[in-house]
Amino acid sequence: MDHDEFSGALNTWFTGSARDLPWRKPGASPWAVLVSEFMLQQTQVDRVLPRWLEWMERWPTPSALAAAEPGDAVRAWGRLGYPRRALWLHRAAIQIATEHNDQVPTSVETLLELTGIGPYTARAVAAFAYGDRHPVVDTNTRRVIARAVHGKAAAGMPAAADLDDMEALLPQDPARAAVFNAAAMELGAIVCTARTPACDSCPVAAWCEWRGAGYPDNAPKKRPKQARFEGSDRQIRGRIMALLRATPGTVTTEAALAAAADGGVADAEQPRRAYDSLIADGLMIEFEGAARLP
DNA sequence: AAGCCGGGGGA
DNA sequence: TCCCCAGGCTT
């Protein structure tokens, strides 16, 4: 495959067809990009959009969020899911405000030291907020690489191999590289989708090894499937969190456990287990028979 | 490497 | 119903 032709075609498509997302606009601050990346971890764009707009208006800088109570961040997180992310983003804001002069770090290495930032988010911030040339690989890009480069039906390469592959595809010019990173993700999100890829409208179909091989069903390995949500501890935790978000101040432990059980439980210990785990995670503080957000 | 952590939307 | 999602942390 000619990498220049491939990236050129993908970038041209992105320029004309990409969704108009506010954190991609030239004026978006590094902080704005970082907040979007936290919210987008395992949560789709259309659900993130309204929350992100609220957050940026309320907490336009790291120090603004750092000055808030962590519970305010958790409450404002709403139903985005995985509320620990709100807690981690709040901690990251404190780290940025106090250790980095309120400026989002620029290097991948330093970004990785922030709470809640891993290999994907660190590179995404460095590439999208600062325009540095790094391979950015998320679940969409992994699938695009698996299909277009390796002719596989689904992603299955080790993460390090995907980074190497993306590095090889990445244009040398940092500006073009940043667009290519976003374009590969976008392609996976809206064309080269997991279930029903729209190959007829794919801008890089001519280079796609999977298409060239006749779409073999050669998925290397199923990813371990997540335990069902219904009846899970996560669901029960979610009930308690929903009550805490909806209640100013405190709720009694009794009320929290009742909310946990409301709707049914898989086993009798589940409400208490969920309650204790939320405390252990720092999402809830207990005192004198009552509980509240941190 | 595997398990855990929300919640919603699409097929 | 099951699958998937701009992942990261803990064990």
Side-chain angles (χ1 to χ4, degrees), chain A residues 257 261 265-273:
Chain A
L257 293 173
V265 295
D267 68 86
E269 311 303 322
Q270 207 168 20
R272 171 56 69 175
R273 191 164 63 240

Side-chain angles (χ1 to χ4, degrees), chain A residues 171-262:
Chain A
Q172 290 304 313
D173 174 55
R176 291 188 57 197
V179 173
F180 183 71
N181 276 315
M185 293 170 52
E186 188 79 350
L187 187 76
I190 68 179
V191 175
C192 192
T193 54
R195 296 291 266 282
T196 52
C199 301
D200 289 344
S201 56
C202 177
V204 294
W207 295 274
C208 180
E209 295 291 339
W210 190 45
R211 180 184 181 87
Y215 305 114
D217 181 13
N218 58 357
K221 178 181 167 186
K222 292 192 188 311
R223 72 165 134 180
K225 60 175 184 255
Q226 189 180 64
R228 57 184 295 111
F229 179 64
E230 191 68 27
S232 68
D233 282 8
R234 283 179 296 139
Q235 181 185 37
I236 309 306
R237 285 164 55 104
R239 291 175 185 163
I240 298 177
M241 291 306 299
L243 174 63
L244 290 174
R245 284 197 306 270
T247 310
T250 69
V251 301
T252 65
T253 298
E254 184 182 1
L257 293 173
D262 186 18

Side-chain angles (χ1 to χ4, degrees), chain A residues 60-249:
Chain A
T61 63
S63 55
L65 178 58
E69 294 297 325
D72 292 337
V74 173
R75 206 186 302 274
W77 196 256
R79 305 182 67 82
L80 284 182
Y82 294 140
R84 294 187 298 184
R85 291 183 292 163
L87 221 45
W88 292 339
L89 179 51
H90 181 260
R91 286 181 197 151
I94 292 175
Q95 291 173 303
I96 295 168
T98 61
E99 300 170 19
H100 301 287
N101 195 31
D102 214 18
Q103 303 298 310
V104 175
T106 59
S107 77
V108 171
E109 184 181 6
T110 307
L111 285 162
L112 283 169
E113 294 174 359
L114 301 177
T115 307
I117 291 192
Y120 164 76
T121 304
R123 288 173 178 80
V125 170
F128 300 143
Y130 293 112
D132 292 336
R133 185 178 176 283
H134 298 284
V136 180
V137 177
D138 76 325
T139 187
N140 292 304
T141 303
R142 281 171 56 79
R143 185 173 52 253
V144 170
I145 288 173
R147 289 174 175 168
V149 177
H150 298 294
K152 301 293 184 183
M157 304 287 287
D162 285 321
L163 274 181
D164 289 345
D165 288 337
M166 193 61 180
E167 166 66 34
L169 292 172
L170 215 53
Q172 290 304 313
D173 174 55
R176 291 188 57 197
V179 173
F180 183 71
N181 276 315
M185 293 170 52
E186 188 79 350
L187 187 76
I190 68 179
V191 175
C192 192
T193 54
R195 296 291 266 282
T196 52
C199 301
D200 289 344
S201 56
C202 177
V204 294
W207 295 274
C208 180
E209 295 291 339
W210 190 45
R211 180 184 181 87
Y215 305 114
D217 181 13
N218 58 357
K221 178 181 167 186
K222 292 192 188 311
R223 72 165 134 180
K225 60 175 184 255
Q226 189 180 64
R228 57 184 295 111
F229 179 64
E230 191 68 27
S232 68
D233 282 8
R234 283 179 296 139
Q235 181 185 37
I236 309 306
R237 285 164 55 104
R239 291 175 185 163
I240 298 177
M241 291 306 299
L243 174 63
L244 290 174
R245 284 197 306 270
T247 310

